[in-house]
Amino acid sequence: MDKRQLGAIAAVVLCLWGALEFASLERTWNAQFRDPYLIASQHQRFEGARQIIPADAVVSYLTDLEAGSVQWSAAFNGAQYVLAPRLLEDGAKREWLLVNYGKAADFAALAQQHGYRVERDFQNGVLVMRKQEAR
């Protein structure tokens, strides 16, 4: 066996060893940090909203999280995933508004401020609001 063959065998062995180490590290990481952004629990939180909002709706989205933060992105994308095929867009301008708050707030005042009425408060920081009709 020449040096090139030994080098190739060594490279293959090192690659396999690296892959096994990586798989072990991933398994440990996933066991410790199963769902850091609680995406799995979002199905239950948004189930009522799924039942109220039409499947073909484009829905405005409002939250108390800082826009552009990792938490905001995780909350928005988690809600978008659970509510699909409905589409979410940031802000308050569509007929339907999904409110996703982590803290208690005066939701009636929030609705009035944006020209909505509370359609349903699910008591878990999730509310569905609907645009008030112009009179």
Side-chain angles (χ1 to χ4, degrees):
M1 203 178 282
D2 69 3
K3 291 181 180 181
R4 285 183 285 168
Q5 289 174 325
L6 286 175
I9 290 171
V12 168
V13 168
L14 287 173
C15 286
L16 290 173
W17 176 69
L20 291 173
E21 282 296 311
F22 178 75
S24 174
L25 287 171
E26 277 296 305
R27 193 171 316 117
T28 302
W29 173 268
N30 289 334
Q32 288 178 328
F33 306 103
R34 197 164 224 56
D35 189 4
Y37 296 108
L38 305 174
I39 299 299
S41 66
Q42 301 310 307
H43 287 280
Q44 183 177 358
R45 280 189 78 225
F46 293 115
E47 183 55 37
R50 283 183 55 82
Q51 293 175 7
I52 292 174
I53 301 170
D56 61 348
V58 177
V59 181
S60 292
Y61 178 82
L62 198 61
T63 184
D64 58 346
L65 297 172
E66 181 184 341
S69 68
V70 172
Q71 293 82 5
W72 184 94
S73 295
F76 180 85
N77 291 329
Q80 177 67 73
Y81 174 75
V82 171
L83 292 174
R86 298 151 194 86
L87 297 177
L88 292 184
E89 71 179 32
D90 190 28
K93 56 188 170 228
R94 299 291 183 155
E95 176 185 358
W96 295 95
L97 173 66
L98 176 71
V99 177
N100 184 14
Y101 267 51
K103 301 174 192 152
D106 184 353
F107 295 117
L110 183 72
Q112 187 175 16
Q113 173 187 352
H114 292 286
Y116 286 86
R117 64 177 159 69
V118 175
E119 189 81 13
R120 181 105 185 258
D121 182 351
F122 296 98
Q123 304 297 316
N124 60 359
V126 174
L127 290 91
V128 173
M129 297 183 183
R130 200 156 184 194
K131 199 66 130 163
Q132 288 185 353
E133 297 175 17
R135 294 175 195 203

